[in-house]
């Protein structure tokens, strides 16, 4: 009912007239904003703990039948009312549209963005030493002047690898070399060995290193590197390149501006999460003798951080224990990596509009980055979209063997 009510509000105020737009913006009684907030809370809750039991596997009901809108409203340039409704629907209640339709809409946004900056007329070449892929990639991406960044970052990059003998490698970059460069760059940059990202102990999922500034010598240098990684990942999504980077859900929530809660701490630190729950269940929390601060071992140095003003002098009691639990979770999941995440998001938004990514939740954003897990190669689709060159034909034995091998993967 909440879905249908908000849907009706959006439909009512999606006319092409100025009065409709003004009424939508005013939202005098706060109905739209409150409905949207309630829906977001219910959705975030259902992502952690499903509100309904899984469907009976014996029943053959099409998933598409469960969507409020099985197909996205076309972004008809000739019909401003339809166009306005589509954008408002995507921004206010994207969950009512299937993921595949929202991805198709994202690709359409990107296509329009390419035309806006006339990137088909722009060429940007990069010479990359294969043995210094990360170093050279950083210099090439970050040296782009701010005035030229919108067009150059969106342009198709032409990569020329330089070998150990300082000679250009043979080959023409028709897309494959660029993809290889992007995959190698991201693999090195997000590796815990580089220091910008670390893996959660239990899950192995990636999130920003809270102490990266100590490794890079200065906060400015570390933040520049995070911005660089945001740009590179944004470029991968912009070009539709899928990369194997399993991010922690709480980091993806931070990217999207969505909230995290105490339960999300399990992914980062299961032991601390369990200890906090035990503290909550104690008969007298004061017996634990803990205070509103967190102690962390940072490269052999004990660092104490207050989570409220003068927190190290305020003891946790039964009256404030719930507040303490949520503040600790907020510090570990959000505050400790806030500046790094902000820099990363700035780089990401250099290519991808904030509103585009707002159409997805954390799980869907992960799928957008890494593709769907456990899904094999669609050989028939690959055949359909493959351009055969070099004297080969569809019936060539070499190609037939290739399709057979791919089908077995």
């Amino acid at each position: 009912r909440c879905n249908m009510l908000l849907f009706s509000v959006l439909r009512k105020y999606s006319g092409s007239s100025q009065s409709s737009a003004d009424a939508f913006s005013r939202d005098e009684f706060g109905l739209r904003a409150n409905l949207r907030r309630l829906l977001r809370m219910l959705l975030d809750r259902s992502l952690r703990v499903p509100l309904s039991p899984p469907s009976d596997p014996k029943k053959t009901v099409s998933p598409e039948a469960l969507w409020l809108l099985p197909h996205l409203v076309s972004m008809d340039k000739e019909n401003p009312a339809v166009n306005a409704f589509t954008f408002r629907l995507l921004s206010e209640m994207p969950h009512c549209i299937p993921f595949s339709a929202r991805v198709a809409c994202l690709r359409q946004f990107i296509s329009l963005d390419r035309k806006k900056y006339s990137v088909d007329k722009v060429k940007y070449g990069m010479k990359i030493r294969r043995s210094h892929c990360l170093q050279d990639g950083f210099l090439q991406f970050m040296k782009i002047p701010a005035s030229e960044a919108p067009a150059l970052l969106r342009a198709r990059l032409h990569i020329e690898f330089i070998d150990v003998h300082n000679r250009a490698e043979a080959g023409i970059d028709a897309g494959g070399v660029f993809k290889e460069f992007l995959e190698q760059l991201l693999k090195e940059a997000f590796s815990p060995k580089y220091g910008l990202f670390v893996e959660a102990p239990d899950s192995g999922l990636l999130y920003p290193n809270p102490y990266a500034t100590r490794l890079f010598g200065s906060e400015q240098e570390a933040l520049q590197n995070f911005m660089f990684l945001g740009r590179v990942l944004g470029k991968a999504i912009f070009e539709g390149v899928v990369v194997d980077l399993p991010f922690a859900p709480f980091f993806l929530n931070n990217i999207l501006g969505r909230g995290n809660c105490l339960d999300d701490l399990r992914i980062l630190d299961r032991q601390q999460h369990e200890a906090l729950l035990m503290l909550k269940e104690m008969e007298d929390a004061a017996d634990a003798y803990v205070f509103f601060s967190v102690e962390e071992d940072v490269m052999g140095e004990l660092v104490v951080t207050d989570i409220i003003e003068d927190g190290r002098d305020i003891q946790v009691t039964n009256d404030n224990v719930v507040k303490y639990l949520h503040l600790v979770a907020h510090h570990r999941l959000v505050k400790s990596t806030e500046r790094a995440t902000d820099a990363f998001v700035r780089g990401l938004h250099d290519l991808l509009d904030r509103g585009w990514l707002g159409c997805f939740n954390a799980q869907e954003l992960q799928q957008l980055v890494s593709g769907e897990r456990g899904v094999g190669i669609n050989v028939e689709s690959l055949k359909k979209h493959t351009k055969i060159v070099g004297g080969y034909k569809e019936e060539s034995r070499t190609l037939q063997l290739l399709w057979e091998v791919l089908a077995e993967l």
Side-chain angles (χ1 to χ4, degrees):
R1 291 183 180 180
C2 192
N3 270 327
M4 293 304 300
L5 182 55
L6 181 55
F7 181 81
S8 299
V9 172
L10 293 178
R11 176 73 80 177
K12 180 178 180 180
Y13 294 113
S14 292
S16 58
S17 66
Q18 184 62 41
S19 60
S20 295
D22 291 343
F24 182 84
S25 300
R26 286 197 305 270
D27 190 25
E28 293 177 351
F29 301 103
L31 176 61
R32 175 175 57 84
N34 287 327
L35 282 173
R36 180 179 58 186
R37 191 177 300 112
L38 175 59
L39 277 173
R40 176 62 60 85
M41 291 171 62
L42 290 172
L43 286 166
D44 289 345
R45 176 77 169 82
S46 68
L47 287 174
R48 298 182 179 95
V49 182
L51 298 178
S52 59
S55 59
D56 186 346
K58 295 181 180 179
K59 295 181 180 179
T60 56
V61 179
S62 171
E64 297 297 322
L66 303 176
W67 294 97
L68 180 62
L69 288 181
H71 301 290
L72 181 64
V73 179
S74 173
M75 289 192 291
D76 188 353
K77 295 181 180 179
E78 304 301 324
N79 190 338
V82 172
N83 214 10
F85 176 66
T86 299
F87 280 104
R88 287 170 185 170
L89 187 67
L90 283 169
S91 62
E92 301 286 331
M93 48 190 309
H95 59 277
C96 292
I97 303 168
F99 174 70
S100 58
R102 279 177 280 141
V103 173
C105 193
L106 173 64
R107 303 322 307 179
Q108 188 173 355
F109 286 145
I110 290 175
S111 178
L112 293 173
D113 207 41
R114 289 182 186 277
K115 293 178 181 178
K116 175 182 176 181
Y117 291 99
S118 304
V119 297
D120 291 337
K121 302 177 182 179
V122 179
K123 292 184 179 180
Y124 188 54
M126 291 185 178
K127 291 187 177 182
I128 305 294
R129 293 172 295 172
R130 189 176 286 277
S131 57
H132 295 75
C133 184
L134 179 55
Q135 178 184 349
D136 290 353
F138 174 82
L139 293 175
Q140 296 279 4
F141 267 93
M142 299 306 290
K143 77 176 184 180
I144 298 175
S147 59
E148 300 178 25
L152 292 183
L153 288 175
R154 288 164 174 77
R156 173 68 74 176
L157 304 182
H158 294 270
I159 306 300
E160 183 179 48
F161 276 119
I162 307 298
D163 63 20
V164 293
H165 303 293
N166 203 31
R167 294 178 300 192
E169 294 184 4
I172 299 175
D173 186 5
V177 179
F178 164 73
K179 185 174 184 293
E180 180 187 0
F181 159 69
L182 210 56
E183 289 175 342
Q184 182 179 338
L185 176 62
L186 288 168
K187 182 179 180 181
E188 293 181 22
F190 283 92
S191 170
K193 295 179 181 178
Y194 188 54
L196 285 176
F197 276 72
V198 291
E199 295 178 346
D202 296 322
S203 63
L205 300 177
L206 295 166
Y207 67 97
N209 183 356
Y211 315 117
T213 55
R214 293 174 177 254
L215 299 175
F216 282 81
S218 71
E219 183 178 51
Q220 182 180 2
E221 184 180 355
L223 294 180
Q224 274 193 326
N225 275 269
F226 278 113
M227 183 178 175
F228 158 65
L229 291 192
R231 278 187 173 184
V232 177
L233 185 65
K235 183 63 174 176
I237 297 175
F238 192 88
E239 300 294 348
V241 176
V242 175
V243 290
D244 186 18
L245 291 172
F247 292 115
F250 63 85
F251 171 58
L252 296 174
N253 280 331
N254 292 338
I255 288 177
L256 296 171
R258 301 171 80 110
N260 288 295
C261 70
L262 180 60
D263 287 340
D264 294 313
L265 188 59
R266 286 180 299 182
I267 297 172
L268 176 61
D269 192 331
R270 182 178 295 274
Q271 288 185 341
Q272 185 176 37
H273 177 258
E274 292 174 353
L276 290 175
L277 294 182
M278 290 175 61
L279 177 63
K280 181 184 176 183
E281 298 301 323
M282 288 181 63
E283 185 175 345
D284 187 357
D287 291 341
Y289 202 68
V290 294
F291 296 82
F292 276 79
S293 61
V294 292
E295 296 182 353
E296 298 167 289
D297 183 357
V298 183
M299 302 175 67
E301 177 185 351
L302 182 64
V303 177
V304 180
T305 305
D306 291 333
I307 53 178
I308 59 174
E309 187 175 358
D310 299 322
R312 67 192 69 189
D313 299 322
I314 302 175
Q315 189 173 2
V316 176
T317 64
N318 288 347
D319 294 332
N320 59 24
V321 64
V322 174
K323 179 180 180 180
Y324 171 76
L325 302 184
H326 289 286
L327 285 175
V328 170
H330 184 68
H331 171 78
R332 293 294 310 277
L333 299 173
V334 181
K335 297 297 292 183
S336 64
T337 61
E338 189 172 37
R339 291 180 63 80
T341 301
D342 287 346
F344 185 92
V345 168
R346 285 199 301 273
L348 194 66
H349 289 166
D350 279 344
L351 286 115
L352 302 171
D353 186 89
R354 184 187 301 272
W356 302 352
L357 295 181
C359 298
F360 306 97
N361 60 41
Q363 294 176 5
E364 292 167 340
L365 181 56
Q366 180 64 65
Q367 189 171 337
L368 203 62
V369 170
S370 301
E372 190 173 357
R373 299 285 178 175
V375 177
I377 299 174
N378 187 332
V379 178
E380 293 304 317
S381 176
L382 187 60
K383 287 181 182 180
K384 181 180 177 181
H385 295 92
T386 297
K387 183 179 179 181
I388 302 173
V389 296
Y392 290 98
K393 298 181 179 180
E394 289 187 17
E395 61 273 12
S396 297
R397 178 58 179 162
T398 302
L399 282 179
Q400 297 306 315
L401 289 173
L402 173 64
W403 304 136
E404 290 176 12
V405 171
L406 291 176
E408 294 174 358
L409 295 177

